Structures are given as C-alpha cells and as structure tokens.
Amino acid sequence: MTEAALIERIAARGDGVTGDGRHVAGGGPGGRVRGDGIIIPGPNRTDPPCRHFGKCGGCQLQHVAEPALADFVRDRVVGGLEGQEVTGIDVLPAVLSPAQSRRRAVLTALRTGKQVAIGFNAAQSNQIVDMRMCPLLLPELFALIAPVRELLVMIAQPRRPVKVKLQMLDQGVELILEGVKAEGLDAAMALQDFAGTHKLARFAIDQGDGLEILWQPEPPTMRFGNILVEVPPFAFLQPTSAGQAALIEAVTKAIGDAGAVADLFAGVGTFALSVQAGRKVYAAEGARDAIAALAGAANRARALVATEHRDLFRRPLVPAELNRFGAIVLAPPRAGAEEQVKQLAASAVPVIAYVSCNPASFARDAKTLIEGGYTLDWVQPVGQFRWSTHVELAAKFSR
C-alpha cells in the first residue's frame, strides 16, 4: 500500500490540497488521504457542530479547527496578493466572527403540499436543505424559522420558491418574504398577527408587484458611532456585529487623524458615520435609498457629513476631487473598484483605507495602486462568514 499523502492546505473552494495538487473534499491541513480516498484526520480536524454539514451549502469548513480556519482566511488574502505578484506585505492574523453571530441571511423556501422546506441551498445545487438547526445564525433569527415555515403553508404557492430575508436591527428582526400570495382578509389578519406575536421590527412581502410593508411600529434603525440611521428594507449591513467592529477599527486606524475624509461606496453610512466625529466627511453611494437614509441620519444628528448620489463605476471621483481629502475610505462590492482605483492611483491622496469582500478583486486593485506609487502598509483579514470560503478584509495604502 502506498503511503498516504499529506494534505498541506485548503483551496479557495474549501477542498484540502495535497502536495501533488490532488483536491480532497472534506480534507484539512495536517490530515492525510490514502490511495483509496479515505481521509486520515490530522491535528486540525474537529467535529462539525451542525447535523446538516456536508449537505447544506451555507458552510464548507466546519470540519476545520479554529487555528487552521484563521490561517485559511489569512492565506486567502496572501494568495490573492501573490497572484498579482504583490509580496512582502504585512498581512495580520485573521479576525473570525463567533458562532451564532450572523445577523443577516437570505434563505429559500419551497412548499410541497402541506410541507415547507426552508433553508440554504445544498452545495452546488438548487435543492433546499430543510433547516432544523444552524450554528451560524443569531438565535433570534433561527427562532423564526419554524414559525415562518408554518406561515408559508398558508401563503406560499406550491412548488414556487420563496425568498426569506432575515436581518437583525435595533428594534428586532426584519422579515421580508418574496414570491408569496396573501389574498383575502384571513391572510391579511394572519400576517398582522404573525408580526405582532414575534415582535418584528419590520415585516414586508412581495407578491410580484413590489415590496409592501405590512408592519413597522417605528422606523427600524441601526446605530453607527453615536448616530441612528433609519435603514431601508433589507439595506446592506455587515453580516456580523463582530466583523463590523473589526472593519471599523481597521478603517479608523488607517485614516488616523485625517481632517477631511471621503467615503466611497458608503452604503447607509457604516464607515462615514463611525468616523465622522471631529472631522468633515463626504459620502458617495450609487444606491438611492441607501444614500437618502445616510443623508437623513447625518442631517438629524447635525453631523458634518455631505452626501452625493453618485454612480462611482460610471462617474468616479477624479484626482482634482480626490486631492481635497486627507484620506479615502473605499468599500466597493465584490467586483472591486477598478475605475475609481485608476483615478486614485493618479491622485495625491495621502491615505486610502480599502475594505473588500473579495481578495481577488482587492489584489487587482492593490496592484494598480502600488504601480501608481502607493505602499500597501498592512492588511487585516476578517472572517465574518464563519466556516465559509468567503473572506473580507481592510487594508491601508499610503504615499
């Protein structure tokens, strides 16, 4: 019998990888795989905490112990940079969000007869794994799964998928159901009763004609720094409080005492409002409802935050505009900020704090900035999507 091959690392999609390049599903670093495919667990193996692991596509790495999980998050960032020939960078140890901390999730539900399955999709499949436990979600979110399952027996159309969006806000849980049919007085009353019984912060449905807010006792909010934002329905928020705190701390460290800051791709103000005390902030965002929420919050608080509804992909800030600021906060979506980064590379801005949810697009943009004369001082990896291959980060560039 040939000697079992050592699994040296975890690939970007979560498979273990041996020294000769073989990919091993369920393998972790330090383990071994025999010629017949049997895995011999190593020191970085742990028991998955969820009964659905291996079927549910929500997690890929529950079998990996905490130290190796943190190494994987960091290695994803290092690997992305090395792929762009950016080396010798100070990549800090990863910050991982704890279990049961996800405050935001999009699930799928499907009714078959009087049975409703609700959960994440199976890995690489449209099949729904009916969620009976979840070590990822906040307990307050998971507590709604069974009641929502019962509610959907009444308002879900047979064999028509329903999107179930859950998010924790200051006032409680926001619940949005897309693809349902709630017709008649009985359905309307049942929905009102459901929202009241479960003390929802906001309850909305989409029957195909747009979102209808059925329940909202008061404007739902999120607090950034000392400012409350009245957030639009299912507005983008960082998926965990711990991850958000880590990113804000990194951004604050990066921009230092810069007197005027621009927050590009500002969303509802996660960073702009968290760093605004004692300085002027300009915030630009392409989503109209998000920038309106940010502007309203800044105005109510009389904060020195100027806002602009601006598509930064089509109309990025040019060097003459950028050079007015002592620091730029850049937090684009997964595609990165290629056009805006080209303008930044030609600017004289002293500091850029870059927040990314995609190590590959970040590495591409980092290379452009470095070629434009910037130094990548450090990168802070953040694993908000625990047990997932999804990795986020914050980084500092300086001239």
Side-chain angles (χ1 to χ4, degrees), residues 102-105 138 141 144 165-170 172-176 201-202 222 231-239:
R102 276 277 295 275
R103 63 183 182 185
R104 173 185 173 88
L138 279 173
L141 297 189
L144 279 173
K165 298 181 177 181
L166 297 160
Q167 184 156 253
M168 177 60 71
L169 303 175
D170 290 339
V173 179
E174 172 185 46
L175 171 64
I176 296 176
R202 176 160 53 209
M222 282 297 291
V231 295
F234 210 65
F236 175 78
L237 302 172
Q238 295 297 330

Side-chain angles (χ1 to χ4, degrees), residues 41 45 65 90 92 218 238 254 259 314 362 367:
R45 174 83 185 190
D90 183 13
L92 304 171
E218 58 182 294
Q238 295 297 330
R314 296 182 179 180
F362 166 75
K367 183 177 183 179

Side-chain angles (χ1 to χ4, degrees), residues 66-78 91-97 246 379-384 386 391-393:
E66 188 90 354
L69 190 62
D71 287 344
F72 166 79
V73 172
R74 183 180 181 277
D75 290 346
R76 281 290 312 280
V77 176
V78 173
V91 180
L92 304 171
V95 176
L96 300 184
S97 292
V379 184
Q380 174 63 73
V382 177
Q384 290 204 73
R386 186 178 181 85
V391 172
E392 299 182 313
L393 63 90

